[in-house]
PDB file of all heavy atoms in Angstrom:
ATOM      1  N   GLN A 919       0.634  15.096  -0.440  1.00 97.00           N
ATOM      2  CA  GLN A 919       0.855  15.991   0.649  1.00 97.00           C
ATOM      3  C   GLN A 919       0.785  17.405   0.161  1.00 97.00           C
ATOM      4  O   GLN A 919       0.204  18.266   0.789  1.00 97.00           O
ATOM      5  CB  GLN A 919       2.171  15.678   1.398  1.00 97.00           C
ATOM      6  CG  GLN A 919       2.097  14.381   2.274  1.00 97.00           C
ATOM      7  CD  GLN A 919       3.303  14.213   3.072  1.00 97.00           C
ATOM      8  OE1 GLN A 919       4.330  13.783   2.556  1.00 97.00           O
ATOM      9  NE2 GLN A 919       3.230  14.471   4.368  1.00 97.00           N
ATOM     10  N   GLU A 920       1.437  17.628  -1.012  1.00 97.00           N
ATOM     11  CA  GLU A 920       1.319  19.061  -1.524  1.00 97.00           C
ATOM     12  C   GLU A 920      -0.066  19.419  -1.869  1.00 97.00           C
ATOM     13  O   GLU A 920      -0.445  20.601  -1.667  1.00 97.00           O
ATOM     14  CB  GLU A 920       2.219  19.090  -2.775  1.00 97.00           C
ATOM     15  CG  GLU A 920       2.236  20.439  -3.430  1.00 97.00           C
ATOM     16  CD  GLU A 920       3.038  20.552  -4.726  1.00 97.00           C
ATOM     17  OE1 GLU A 920       3.980  19.812  -4.955  1.00 97.00           O
ATOM     18  OE2 GLU A 920       2.638  21.399  -5.620  1.00 97.00           O
ATOM     19  N   ALA A 921      -0.836  18.461  -2.343  1.00 97.00           N
ATOM     20  CA  ALA A 921      -2.188  18.712  -2.716  1.00 97.00           C
ATOM     21  C   ALA A 921      -3.093  18.892  -1.535  1.00 97.00           C
ATOM     22  O   ALA A 921      -4.263  19.338  -1.654  1.00 97.00           O
ATOM     23  CB  ALA A 921      -2.793  17.601  -3.572  1.00 97.00           C
ATOM     24  N   GLY A 922      -2.640  18.524  -0.318  1.00 96.00           N
ATOM     25  CA  GLY A 922      -3.385  18.662   0.883  1.00 96.00           C
ATOM     26  C   GLY A 922      -4.436  17.629   1.155  1.00 96.00           C
ATOM     27  O   GLY A 922      -5.333  17.788   1.989  1.00 96.00           O
ATOM     28  N   VAL A 923      -4.279  16.448   0.438  1.00 97.00           N
ATOM     29  CA  VAL A 923      -5.202  15.335   0.613  1.00 97.00           C
ATOM     30  C   VAL A 923      -4.722  14.320   1.586  1.00 97.00           C
ATOM     31  O   VAL A 923      -5.529  13.415   1.961  1.00 97.00           O
ATOM     32  CB  VAL A 923      -5.575  14.732  -0.764  1.00 97.00           C
ATOM     33  CG1 VAL A 923      -6.297  15.731  -1.698  1.00 97.00           C
ATOM     34  CG2 VAL A 923      -4.358  14.111  -1.419  1.00 97.00           C
ATOM     35  N   ALA A 924      -3.510  14.419   2.040  1.00 96.00           N
ATOM     36  CA  ALA A 924      -3.006  13.530   3.090  1.00 96.00           C
ATOM     37  C   ALA A 924      -2.008  14.322   3.927  1.00 96.00           C
ATOM     38  O   ALA A 924      -1.082  14.993   3.380  1.00 96.00           O
ATOM     39  CB  ALA A 924      -2.309  12.336   2.453  1.00 96.00           C
ATOM     40  N   SER A 925      -2.177  14.306   5.239  1.00 93.00           N
ATOM     41  CA  SER A 925      -1.289  15.105   6.098  1.00 93.00           C
ATOM     42  C   SER A 925       0.044  14.413   6.317  1.00 93.00           C
ATOM     43  O   SER A 925       1.058  15.014   6.522  1.00 93.00           O
ATOM     44  CB  SER A 925      -1.986  15.314   7.461  1.00 93.00           C
ATOM     45  OG  SER A 925      -2.306  14.083   8.106  1.00 93.00           O
ATOM     46  N   SER A 926       0.057  13.064   6.266  1.00 95.00           N
ATOM     47  CA  SER A 926       1.300  12.240   6.344  1.00 95.00           C
ATOM     48  C   SER A 926       1.194  11.009   5.645  1.00 95.00           C
ATOM     49  O   SER A 926       0.016  10.494   5.303  1.00 95.00           O
ATOM     50  CB  SER A 926       1.607  11.990   7.814  1.00 95.00           C
ATOM     51  OG  SER A 926       0.607  11.168   8.423  1.00 95.00           O
ATOM     52  N   ILE A 927       2.302  10.372   5.231  1.00 96.00           N
ATOM     53  CA  ILE A 927       2.310   9.145   4.510  1.00 96.00           C
ATOM     54  C   ILE A 927       3.178   8.140   5.220  1.00 96.00           C
ATOM     55  O   ILE A 927       4.331   8.501   5.614  1.00 96.00           O
ATOM     56  CB  ILE A 927       2.860   9.304   3.081  1.00 96.00           C
ATOM     57  CG1 ILE A 927       2.196  10.537   2.393  1.00 96.00           C
ATOM     58  CG2 ILE A 927       2.702   8.055   2.272  1.00 96.00           C
ATOM     59  CD1 ILE A 927       0.817  10.272   1.877  1.00 96.00           C
ATOM     60  N   THR A 928       2.740   6.933   5.439  1.00 97.00           N
ATOM     61  CA  THR A 928       3.560   5.841   5.927  1.00 97.00           C
ATOM     62  C   THR A 928       3.883   4.958   4.736  1.00 97.00           C
ATOM     63  O   THR A 928       2.968   4.392   4.178  1.00 97.00           O
ATOM     64  CB  THR A 928       2.817   5.119   7.054  1.00 97.00           C
ATOM     65  OG1 THR A 928       2.575   5.988   8.133  1.00 97.00           O
ATOM     66  CG2 THR A 928       3.694   3.953   7.578  1.00 97.00           C
ATOM     67  N   TYR A 929       5.146   4.774   4.429  1.00 98.00           N
ATOM     68  CA  TYR A 929       5.560   3.889   3.346  1.00 98.00           C
ATOM     69  C   TYR A 929       5.968   2.568   3.839  1.00 98.00           C
ATOM     70  O   TYR A 929       6.727   2.501   4.887  1.00 98.00           O
ATOM     71  CB  TYR A 929       6.675   4.558   2.498  1.00 98.00           C
ATOM     72  CG  TYR A 929       6.422   5.873   1.931  1.00 98.00           C
ATOM     73  CD1 TYR A 929       6.771   6.994   2.615  1.00 98.00           C
ATOM     74  CD2 TYR A 929       5.723   6.050   0.701  1.00 98.00           C
ATOM     75  CE1 TYR A 929       6.462   8.323   2.093  1.00 98.00           C
ATOM     76  CE2 TYR A 929       5.437   7.248   0.150  1.00 98.00           C
ATOM     77  CZ  TYR A 929       5.835   8.443   0.862  1.00 98.00           C
ATOM     78  OH  TYR A 929       5.583   9.603   0.324  1.00 98.00           O
ATOM     79  N   GLU A 930       5.642   1.522   3.135  1.00 98.00           N
ATOM     80  CA  GLU A 930       6.116   0.187   3.524  1.00 98.00           C
ATOM     81  C   GLU A 930       6.618  -0.490   2.257  1.00 98.00           C
ATOM     82  O   GLU A 930       5.851  -0.744   1.279  1.00 98.00           O
ATOM     83  CB  GLU A 930       5.033  -0.687   4.198  1.00 98.00           C
ATOM     84  CG  GLU A 930       5.482  -2.007   4.624  1.00 98.00           C
ATOM     85  CD  GLU A 930       4.455  -2.792   5.429  1.00 98.00           C
ATOM     86  OE1 GLU A 930       3.309  -2.323   5.503  1.00 98.00           O
ATOM     87  OE2 GLU A 930       4.788  -3.888   5.962  1.00 98.00           O
ATOM     88  N   ASN A 931       7.833  -0.940   2.223  1.00 97.00           N
ATOM     89  CA  ASN A 931       8.392  -1.699   1.125  1.00 97.00           C
ATOM     90  C   ASN A 931       8.350  -3.181   1.457  1.00 97.00           C
ATOM     91  O   ASN A 931       8.882  -3.603   2.510  1.00 97.00           O
ATOM     92  CB  ASN A 931       9.854  -1.277   0.889  1.00 97.00           C
ATOM     93  CG  ASN A 931       9.949   0.066   0.185  1.00 97.00           C
ATOM     94  OD1 ASN A 931       9.980   1.083   0.908  1.00 97.00           O
ATOM     95  ND2 ASN A 931      10.031   0.155  -1.119  1.00 97.00           N
ATOM     96  N   LYS A 932       7.890  -4.011   0.537  1.00 95.00           N
ATOM     97  CA  LYS A 932       7.834  -5.447   0.706  1.00 95.00           C
ATOM     98  C   LYS A 932       8.034  -6.080  -0.628  1.00 95.00           C
ATOM     99  O   LYS A 932       7.096  -6.257  -1.407  1.00 95.00           O
ATOM    100  CB  LYS A 932       6.493  -5.828   1.302  1.00 95.00           C
ATOM    101  CG  LYS A 932       6.346  -7.290   1.663  1.00 95.00           C
ATOM    102  CD  LYS A 932       7.297  -7.760   2.766  1.00 95.00           C
ATOM    103  CE  LYS A 932       6.987  -7.163   4.136  1.00 95.00           C
ATOM    104  NZ  LYS A 932       7.794  -7.722   5.292  1.00 95.00           N
ATOM    105  N   GLY A 933       9.259  -6.338  -0.966  1.00 90.00           N
ATOM    106  CA  GLY A 933       9.603  -6.859  -2.285  1.00 90.00           C
ATOM    107  C   GLY A 933       9.471  -8.371  -2.484  1.00 90.00           C
ATOM    108  O   GLY A 933       9.436  -9.099  -1.532  1.00 90.00           O
ATOM    109  N   GLY A 934       9.510  -8.698  -3.756  1.00 87.00           N
ATOM    110  CA  GLY A 934       9.544 -10.177  -4.151  1.00 87.00           C
ATOM    111  C   GLY A 934       8.391 -10.642  -4.984  1.00 87.00           C
ATOM    112  O   GLY A 934       7.263 -10.189  -4.794  1.00 87.00           O
ATOM    113  N   ALA A 935       8.655 -11.644  -5.821  1.00 89.00           N
ATOM    114  CA  ALA A 935       7.707 -12.340  -6.598  1.00 89.00           C
ATOM    115  C   ALA A 935       6.808 -11.406  -7.448  1.00 89.00           C
ATOM    116  O   ALA A 935       5.542 -11.553  -7.452  1.00 89.00           O
ATOM    117  CB  ALA A 935       6.844 -13.200  -5.693  1.00 89.00           C
ATOM    118  N   ALA A 936       7.397 -10.473  -8.140  1.00 89.00           N
ATOM    119  CA  ALA A 936       6.692  -9.485  -9.015  1.00 89.00           C
ATOM    120  C   ALA A 936       5.586  -8.746  -8.223  1.00 89.00           C
ATOM    121  O   ALA A 936       4.557  -8.470  -8.808  1.00 89.00           O
ATOM    122  CB  ALA A 936       6.019 -10.177 -10.148  1.00 89.00           C
ATOM    123  N   GLY A 937       5.838  -8.488  -6.960  1.00 93.00           N
ATOM    124  CA  GLY A 937       4.917  -7.792  -6.150  1.00 93.00           C
ATOM    125  C   GLY A 937       3.879  -8.573  -5.416  1.00 93.00           C
ATOM    126  O   GLY A 937       3.104  -8.146  -4.567  1.00 93.00           O
ATOM    127  N   ALA A 938       3.925  -9.931  -5.616  1.00 95.00           N
ATOM    128  CA  ALA A 938       2.949 -10.816  -4.998  1.00 95.00           C
ATOM    129  C   ALA A 938       3.012 -10.867  -3.459  1.00 95.00           C
ATOM    130  O   ALA A 938       1.996 -11.001  -2.797  1.00 95.00           O
ATOM    131  CB  ALA A 938       3.070 -12.237  -5.582  1.00 95.00           C
ATOM    132  N   ILE A 939       4.233 -10.759  -2.916  1.00 96.00           N
ATOM    133  CA  ILE A 939       4.403 -10.802  -1.464  1.00 96.00           C
ATOM    134  C   ILE A 939       3.786  -9.575  -0.814  1.00 96.00           C
ATOM    135  O   ILE A 939       3.008  -9.662   0.117  1.00 96.00           O
ATOM    136  CB  ILE A 939       5.940 -10.898  -1.101  1.00 96.00           C
ATOM    137  CG1 ILE A 939       6.472 -12.261  -1.593  1.00 96.00           C
ATOM    138  CG2 ILE A 939       6.072 -10.791   0.370  1.00 96.00           C
ATOM    139  CD1 ILE A 939       7.921 -12.452  -1.434  1.00 96.00           C
ATOM    140  N   GLY A 940       4.085  -8.406  -1.443  1.00 97.00           N
ATOM    141  CA  GLY A 940       3.487  -7.137  -0.932  1.00 97.00           C
ATOM    142  C   GLY A 940       1.959  -7.111  -1.113  1.00 97.00           C
ATOM    143  O   GLY A 940       1.256  -6.599  -0.253  1.00 97.00           O
ATOM    144  N   LEU A 941       1.517  -7.637  -2.207  1.00 98.00           N
ATOM    145  CA  LEU A 941       0.070  -7.693  -2.544  1.00 98.00           C
ATOM    146  C   LEU A 941      -0.659  -8.516  -1.452  1.00 98.00           C
ATOM    147  O   LEU A 941      -1.728  -8.175  -0.931  1.00 98.00           O
ATOM    148  CB  LEU A 941      -0.171  -8.240  -3.924  1.00 98.00           C
ATOM    149  CG  LEU A 941      -1.617  -8.666  -4.260  1.00 98.00           C
ATOM    150  CD1 LEU A 941      -2.535  -7.415  -4.199  1.00 98.00           C
ATOM    151  CD2 LEU A 941      -1.685  -9.316  -5.627  1.00 98.00           C
ATOM    152  N   ALA A 942      -0.101  -9.695  -1.192  1.00 98.00           N
ATOM    153  CA  ALA A 942      -0.765 -10.598  -0.126  1.00 98.00           C
ATOM    154  C   ALA A 942      -0.853  -9.925   1.158  1.00 98.00           C
ATOM    155  O   ALA A 942      -1.885  -9.949   1.860  1.00 98.00           O
ATOM    156  CB  ALA A 942       0.040 -11.895  -0.058  1.00 98.00           C
ATOM    157  N   GLN A 943       0.255  -9.214   1.559  1.00 98.00           N
ATOM    158  CA  GLN A 943       0.251  -8.542   2.849  1.00 98.00           C
ATOM    159  C   GLN A 943      -0.775  -7.309   2.863  1.00 98.00           C
ATOM    160  O   GLN A 943      -1.509  -7.162   3.827  1.00 98.00           O
ATOM    161  CB  GLN A 943       1.620  -7.995   3.203  1.00 98.00           C
ATOM    162  CG  GLN A 943       1.686  -7.305   4.511  1.00 98.00           C
ATOM    163  CD  GLN A 943       3.137  -7.028   4.975  1.00 98.00           C
ATOM    164  OE1 GLN A 943       3.966  -7.870   4.900  1.00 98.00           O
ATOM    165  NE2 GLN A 943       3.374  -5.788   5.477  1.00 98.00           N
ATOM    166  N   PHE A 944      -0.800  -6.635   1.743  1.00 98.00           N
ATOM    167  CA  PHE A 944      -1.759  -5.547   1.639  1.00 98.00           C
ATOM    168  C   PHE A 944      -3.181  -6.055   1.724  1.00 98.00           C
ATOM    169  O   PHE A 944      -4.079  -5.450   2.396  1.00 98.00           O
ATOM    170  CB  PHE A 944      -1.539  -4.836   0.271  1.00 98.00           C
ATOM    171  CG  PHE A 944      -2.389  -3.617   0.115  1.00 98.00           C
ATOM    172  CD1 PHE A 944      -2.178  -2.375   0.735  1.00 98.00           C
ATOM    173  CD2 PHE A 944      -3.449  -3.692  -0.944  1.00 98.00           C
ATOM    174  CE1 PHE A 944      -3.100  -1.328   0.467  1.00 98.00           C
ATOM    175  CE2 PHE A 944      -4.214  -2.622  -1.156  1.00 98.00           C
ATOM    176  CZ  PHE A 944      -4.048  -1.424  -0.477  1.00 98.00           C
ATOM    177  N   TYR A 945      -3.470  -7.155   0.975  1.00 98.00           N
ATOM    178  CA  TYR A 945      -4.813  -7.674   0.980  1.00 98.00           C
ATOM    179  C   TYR A 945      -5.186  -8.118   2.427  1.00 98.00           C
ATOM    180  O   TYR A 945      -6.383  -7.826   2.832  1.00 98.00           O
ATOM    181  CB  TYR A 945      -4.863  -8.914   0.066  1.00 98.00           C
ATOM    182  CG  TYR A 945      -6.069  -9.665   0.074  1.00 98.00           C
ATOM    183  CD1 TYR A 945      -7.319  -9.227  -0.527  1.00 98.00           C
ATOM    184  CD2 TYR A 945      -6.134 -10.944   0.698  1.00 98.00           C
ATOM    185  CE1 TYR A 945      -8.465  -9.922  -0.433  1.00 98.00           C
ATOM    186  CE2 TYR A 945      -7.351 -11.675   0.776  1.00 98.00           C
ATOM    187  CZ  TYR A 945      -8.497 -11.161   0.196  1.00 98.00           C
ATOM    188  OH  TYR A 945      -9.717 -11.846   0.252  1.00 98.00           O
ATOM    189  N   ASN A 946      -4.371  -8.819   3.110  1.00 98.00           N
ATOM    190  CA  ASN A 946      -4.709  -9.368   4.405  1.00 98.00           C
ATOM    191  C   ASN A 946      -4.778  -8.329   5.455  1.00 98.00           C
ATOM    192  O   ASN A 946      -5.543  -8.398   6.421  1.00 98.00           O
ATOM    193  CB  ASN A 946      -3.727 -10.460   4.800  1.00 98.00           C
ATOM    194  CG  ASN A 946      -3.908 -11.691   3.937  1.00 98.00           C
ATOM    195  OD1 ASN A 946      -4.895 -12.213   3.665  1.00 98.00           O
ATOM    196  ND2 ASN A 946      -2.718 -12.279   3.504  1.00 98.00           N
ATOM    197  N   ALA A 947      -3.885  -7.303   5.431  1.00 97.00           N
ATOM    198  CA  ALA A 947      -3.772  -6.315   6.478  1.00 97.00           C
ATOM    199  C   ALA A 947      -4.682  -5.148   6.360  1.00 97.00           C
ATOM    200  O   ALA A 947      -4.989  -4.481   7.363  1.00 97.00           O
ATOM    201  CB  ALA A 947      -2.361  -5.906   6.605  1.00 97.00           C
ATOM    202  N   ARG A 948      -5.164  -4.819   5.161  1.00 98.00           N
ATOM    203  CA  ARG A 948      -5.868  -3.570   4.928  1.00 98.00           C
ATOM    204  C   ARG A 948      -7.299  -3.642   4.484  1.00 98.00           C
ATOM    205  O   ARG A 948      -7.910  -2.686   3.929  1.00 98.00           O
ATOM    206  CB  ARG A 948      -5.055  -2.755   3.911  1.00 98.00           C
ATOM    207  CG  ARG A 948      -3.635  -2.416   4.274  1.00 98.00           C
ATOM    208  CD  ARG A 948      -3.623  -1.528   5.524  1.00 98.00           C
ATOM    209  NE  ARG A 948      -2.243  -1.260   5.936  1.00 98.00           N
ATOM    210  CZ  ARG A 948      -1.925  -0.862   7.108  1.00 98.00           C
ATOM    211  NH1 ARG A 948      -2.829  -0.698   8.027  1.00 98.00           N
ATOM    212  NH2 ARG A 948      -0.605  -0.577   7.444  1.00 98.00           N
ATOM    213  N   LYS A 949      -7.937  -4.809   4.613  1.00 97.00           N
ATOM    214  CA  LYS A 949      -9.302  -5.010   4.165  1.00 97.00           C
ATOM    215  C   LYS A 949     -10.231  -3.908   4.799  1.00 97.00           C
ATOM    216  O   LYS A 949     -10.202  -3.626   6.013  1.00 97.00           O
ATOM    217  CB  LYS A 949      -9.879  -6.338   4.607  1.00 97.00           C
ATOM    218  CG  LYS A 949      -9.258  -7.461   3.766  1.00 97.00           C
ATOM    219  CD  LYS A 949      -9.714  -8.812   4.211  1.00 97.00           C
ATOM    220  CE  LYS A 949      -9.077  -9.974   3.568  1.00 97.00           C
ATOM    221  NZ  LYS A 949      -9.561 -11.272   3.949  1.00 97.00           N
ATOM    222  N   GLY A 950     -11.002  -3.254   3.870  1.00 97.00           N
ATOM    223  CA  GLY A 950     -11.887  -2.193   4.344  1.00 97.00           C
ATOM    224  C   GLY A 950     -11.267  -0.909   4.780  1.00 97.00           C
ATOM    225  O   GLY A 950     -11.953   0.041   5.227  1.00 97.00           O
ATOM    226  N   ASP A 951      -9.923  -0.788   4.626  1.00 97.00           N
ATOM    227  CA  ASP A 951      -9.178   0.444   5.056  1.00 97.00           C
ATOM    228  C   ASP A 951      -9.207   1.509   3.919  1.00 97.00           C
ATOM    229  O   ASP A 951      -8.494   1.298   2.945  1.00 97.00           O
ATOM    230  CB  ASP A 951      -7.779   0.049   5.426  1.00 97.00           C
ATOM    231  CG  ASP A 951      -7.025   1.281   6.065  1.00 97.00           C
ATOM    232  OD1 ASP A 951      -7.478   2.392   6.003  1.00 97.00           O
ATOM    233  OD2 ASP A 951      -5.977   1.018   6.669  1.00 97.00           O
ATOM    234  N   GLY A 952     -10.006   2.541   4.067  1.00 96.00           N
ATOM    235  CA  GLY A 952     -10.054   3.570   3.068  1.00 96.00           C
ATOM    236  C   GLY A 952      -8.863   4.572   3.055  1.00 96.00           C
ATOM    237  O   GLY A 952      -8.779   5.475   2.273  1.00 96.00           O
ATOM    238  N   ASP A 953      -7.911   4.360   4.026  1.00 97.00           N
ATOM    239  CA  ASP A 953      -6.728   5.161   4.007  1.00 97.00           C
ATOM    240  C   ASP A 953      -5.457   4.486   3.559  1.00 97.00           C
ATOM    241  O   ASP A 953      -4.398   4.708   4.004  1.00 97.00           O
ATOM    242  CB  ASP A 953      -6.460   5.656   5.501  1.00 97.00           C
ATOM    243  CG  ASP A 953      -7.517   6.638   5.978  1.00 97.00           C
ATOM    244  OD1 ASP A 953      -7.993   7.423   5.140  1.00 97.00           O
ATOM    245  OD2 ASP A 953      -7.853   6.605   7.137  1.00 97.00           O
ATOM    246  N   ALA A 954      -5.622   3.509   2.660  1.00 98.00           N
ATOM    247  CA  ALA A 954      -4.554   2.621   2.127  1.00 98.00           C
ATOM    248  C   ALA A 954      -4.457   2.614   0.666  1.00 98.00           C
ATOM    249  O   ALA A 954      -5.534   2.545   0.002  1.00 98.00           O
ATOM    250  CB  ALA A 954      -4.606   1.278   2.763  1.00 98.00           C
ATOM    251  N   LEU A 955      -3.268   2.639   0.114  1.00 98.00           N
ATOM    252  CA  LEU A 955      -3.054   2.509  -1.308  1.00 98.00           C
ATOM    253  C   LEU A 955      -1.881   1.562  -1.566  1.00 98.00           C
ATOM    254  O   LEU A 955      -1.002   1.430  -0.645  1.00 98.00           O
ATOM    255  CB  LEU A 955      -2.692   3.794  -2.012  1.00 98.00           C
ATOM    256  CG  LEU A 955      -3.857   4.828  -2.196  1.00 98.00           C
ATOM    257  CD1 LEU A 955      -3.222   6.198  -2.709  1.00 98.00           C
ATOM    258  CD2 LEU A 955      -4.872   4.253  -3.191  1.00 98.00           C
ATOM    259  N   MET A 956      -1.864   0.891  -2.695  1.00 98.00           N
ATOM    260  CA  MET A 956      -0.708   0.066  -3.131  1.00 98.00           C
ATOM    261  C   MET A 956      -0.309   0.375  -4.509  1.00 98.00           C
ATOM    262  O   MET A 956      -1.138   0.488  -5.418  1.00 98.00           O
ATOM    263  CB  MET A 956      -1.107  -1.440  -3.058  1.00 98.00           C
ATOM    264  CG  MET A 956       0.001  -2.374  -3.491  1.00 98.00           C
ATOM    265  SD  MET A 956      -0.612  -4.139  -3.636  1.00 98.00           S
ATOM    266  CE  MET A 956      -1.612  -3.989  -5.175  1.00 98.00           C
ATOM    267  N   VAL A 957       0.970   0.572  -4.688  1.00 98.00           N
ATOM    268  CA  VAL A 957       1.555   0.782  -6.067  1.00 98.00           C
ATOM    269  C   VAL A 957       1.490  -0.586  -6.719  1.00 98.00           C
ATOM    270  O   VAL A 957       1.841  -1.670  -6.206  1.00 98.00           O
ATOM    271  CB  VAL A 957       2.943   1.352  -5.957  1.00 98.00           C
ATOM    272  CG1 VAL A 957       3.528   1.547  -7.344  1.00 98.00           C
ATOM    273  CG2 VAL A 957       2.994   2.660  -5.145  1.00 98.00           C
ATOM    274  N   MET A 958       1.280  -0.528  -8.059  1.00 97.00           N
ATOM    275  CA  MET A 958       1.274  -1.787  -8.852  1.00 97.00           C
ATOM    276  C   MET A 958       1.439  -1.396 -10.310  1.00 97.00           C
ATOM    277  O   MET A 958       1.687  -0.235 -10.655  1.00 97.00           O
ATOM    278  CB  MET A 958      -0.014  -2.591  -8.633  1.00 97.00           C
ATOM    279  CG  MET A 958      -1.326  -1.861  -8.904  1.00 97.00           C
ATOM    280  SD  MET A 958      -1.801  -1.584 -10.678  1.00 97.00           S
ATOM    281  CE  MET A 958      -2.106  -3.305 -11.111  1.00 97.00           C
ATOM    282  N   GLY A 959       1.386  -2.372 -11.194  1.00 95.00           N
ATOM    283  CA  GLY A 959       1.565  -2.123 -12.622  1.00 95.00           C
ATOM    284  C   GLY A 959       1.616  -3.297 -13.434  1.00 95.00           C
ATOM    285  O   GLY A 959       1.295  -4.498 -13.026  1.00 95.00           O
ATOM    286  N   ALA A 960       2.106  -3.137 -14.693  1.00 94.00           N
ATOM    287  CA  ALA A 960       2.076  -4.250 -15.649  1.00 94.00           C
ATOM    288  C   ALA A 960       3.002  -5.411 -15.146  1.00 94.00           C
ATOM    289  O   ALA A 960       2.662  -6.596 -15.426  1.00 94.00           O
ATOM    290  CB  ALA A 960       2.667  -3.750 -17.000  1.00 94.00           C
ATOM    291  N   VAL A 961       4.006  -5.164 -14.356  1.00 91.00           N
ATOM    292  CA  VAL A 961       4.859  -6.159 -13.824  1.00 91.00           C
ATOM    293  C   VAL A 961       4.029  -7.144 -12.921  1.00 91.00           C
ATOM    294  O   VAL A 961       4.300  -8.320 -13.026  1.00 91.00           O
ATOM    295  CB  VAL A 961       6.063  -5.561 -13.025  1.00 91.00           C
ATOM    296  CG1 VAL A 961       6.804  -6.632 -12.316  1.00 91.00           C
ATOM    297  CG2 VAL A 961       6.943  -4.780 -13.982  1.00 91.00           C
TER     298      VAL A 961
END
């Protein structure tokens, strides 16, 4: 937002199974959506 590349952010927390639950929801709900990101990492 400070950089001016997004006017607003909608955050969604979905915990569990080393991120697998949130990953599955992100995959199914956001296919083809260029306005979506998911945090991830080594875990």
Side-chain angles (χ1 to χ4, degrees):
Q919 287 185 283
E920 181 185 329
V923 297
S925 59
S926 63
I927 311 285
T928 300
Y929 301 95
E930 181 173 10
N931 288 84
K932 184 67 67 173
I939 295 174
L941 168 62
Q943 181 167 315
F944 182 73
Y945 172 74
N946 290 316
R948 300 299 180 199
K949 289 179 183 176
D951 187 346
D953 290 325
L955 286 172
M956 178 190 71
V957 180
M958 54 78 66
V961 171

